[in-house]
Amino acid sequence: MKKLCQAIILLCLTLTALQLPASACAEELALQPVPDRSPTSRALLFGVGRTNQFDTYLSPMEYTGLQVSFLTQSERMTRLADYHVSFQSTLQGAFTSTENPAASANYLGGRLAYDAGWHYHYSPLPGLGLKGGMLAGTDLGFLYNSRNGNNPAQGRFSLDVSLSAGADYSFYVPLGRKGGSPCRLPMRLAYQADLPVLGMMFCPEFGETYYEISQRGVGHDIICAHPGNSLSLRQLLTVDFCMKRTVLRIGYLCDVRQSNARSLRYHDVSHSFMLGFVRHFQLMKRK
């Protein structure tokens, strides 16, 4: 994985050196504080990595394996607080295939999560941006055990409100000189962490079958979720390389989802390498 990351970074630098014009690129334009427009960025990332899954409803063993995922993210500056507040939405999906240490059984899993909310932006130093806010989201998923005969699957559902904070730093990497003028590669390093603090989640009782759940109603198994019984955290670290007409993004996604309630323990911890692109737009006012 380390050699793959180095190769991708080297390829990005080579392509950018060939394509980067002397004028400002799309990312530089999006960073300019123009009060007559609302800068909007949209990112599409695909990822591959490893995941550890543990669910005592299905098995007392931890399963490890491969995860493939995607993440789309849109962020738009609004007019609130004199253009210091942005609206962000994120859609995340993943498919996992894991097996136990004895390789005698495997899990197949899927997950789809959506979050949206607002951040307040503050720039204490040139090139450095800080943001903080709140997100509201939902998470749907399933886990299927090929070995179980009675209860082979477990469903996942949650609604929550999260605290969100992040930082980004824009800088230039010199690439030498072209036509007598210096050539520089604009780059941006960004980090964001989202921590669910309050919500609700589906959690059956220990030993309760899905037949019993259908008889008693799903509402019986909806409980309050908080850091005390479902401490979770999503972290995303990215680096943007500004190309001629688009922005290439590579990143690292660490997603921790876990719960400990009603005598059942669960966790899904994934580490993924992400690769994709970002497009920047500007909404002009009509005269």
Side-chain angles (χ1 to χ4, degrees), residues 4 45 65 203 221 261 267 280:
L4 177 61
L45 304 177
C203 181
D221 294 307
H267 73 237
H280 293 275

Side-chain angles (χ1 to χ4, degrees), residues 27-246:
E27 184 168 352
E28 292 179 275
L29 176 63
L31 294 174
Q32 296 177 2
V34 181
D36 291 336
R37 63 181 176 86
S38 297
T40 299
S41 66
R42 294 176 182 172
L44 174 61
L45 304 177
F46 296 96
V48 60
R50 299 284 294 178
T51 183
N52 296 349
Q53 296 174 324
F54 178 66
D55 191 333
T56 55
Y57 183 82
L58 297 175
S59 171
M61 304 179 70
E62 184 178 57
Y63 288 58
T64 59
L66 177 70
Q67 172 177 283
V68 291
S69 60
F70 74 89
L71 186 146
T72 65
Q73 191 173 71
S74 175
E75 188 169 29
R76 174 178 58 87
M77 296 302 298
T78 70
R79 301 180 183 180
L80 299 175
D82 194 22
Y83 292 89
H84 283 84
V85 176
S86 69
F87 177 78
Q88 182 189 86
S89 62
T90 301
L91 178 64
Q92 178 184 353
F95 175 80
T96 60
S97 177
T98 58
E99 63 180 12
N100 61 20
S104 59
N106 71 291
Y107 279 156
L108 293 178
R111 180 183 169 212
L112 192 64
Y114 177 78
D115 298 280
W118 288 263
H119 291 98
Y120 180 84
H121 292 251
Y122 172 67
S123 182
L125 297 172
L128 176 63
L130 304 176
K131 66 179 182 180
M134 299 190 72
L135 304 174
T138 182
D139 197 313
L140 296 170
F142 73 92
L143 202 58
Y144 171 77
N145 190 313
S146 62
R147 189 176 183 179
N148 290 6
N150 187 19
N151 278 349
Q154 167 74 304
R156 292 287 164 190
F157 168 73
S158 66
L159 292 170
D160 52 55
V161 175
S162 304
L163 296 178
S164 179
D168 62 80
Y169 180 66
S170 300
F171 58 99
Y172 294 90
V173 175
L175 298 177
R177 305 182 69 86
K178 184 177 181 180
S181 60
C183 186
R184 302 181 301 171
L185 171 65
M187 298 178 64
R188 173 185 284 174
L189 178 66
Y191 170 80
Q192 182 173 322
D194 305 322
L195 174 68
V197 292
L198 186 63
M200 60 181 64
M201 66 178 180
F202 169 74
C203 181
E205 296 181 354
F206 180 79
E208 184 182 17
T209 66
Y210 271 73
Y211 174 77
E212 293 173 322
I213 294 174
S214 65
Q215 294 296 313
R216 302 169 65 179
V218 178
H220 174 76
D221 294 307
I222 300 296
I223 65 173
C224 179
H226 52 81
N229 63 6
S230 60
L231 182 60
S232 301
L233 179 66
R234 180 176 64 191
Q235 301 178 86
L236 179 61
L237 177 65
T238 60
V239 180
D240 290 357
F241 300 86
C242 183
M243 310 294 282
K244 187 175 182 180
R245 292 184 176 86
T246 188

Side-chain angles (χ1 to χ4, degrees), residues 244-273:
K244 187 175 182 180
R245 292 184 176 86
T246 188
V247 179
L248 181 67
R249 173 171 292 180
I250 63 173
Y252 162 70
L253 176 63
C254 175
D255 198 356
V256 179
R257 305 292 298 187
Q258 58 184 356
S259 65
N260 187 356
R262 309 183 82 176
S263 301
L264 291 176
R265 294 178 56 195
Y266 162 82
H267 73 237
D268 189 337
V269 181
S270 63
H271 303 271
S272 300
F273 171 77

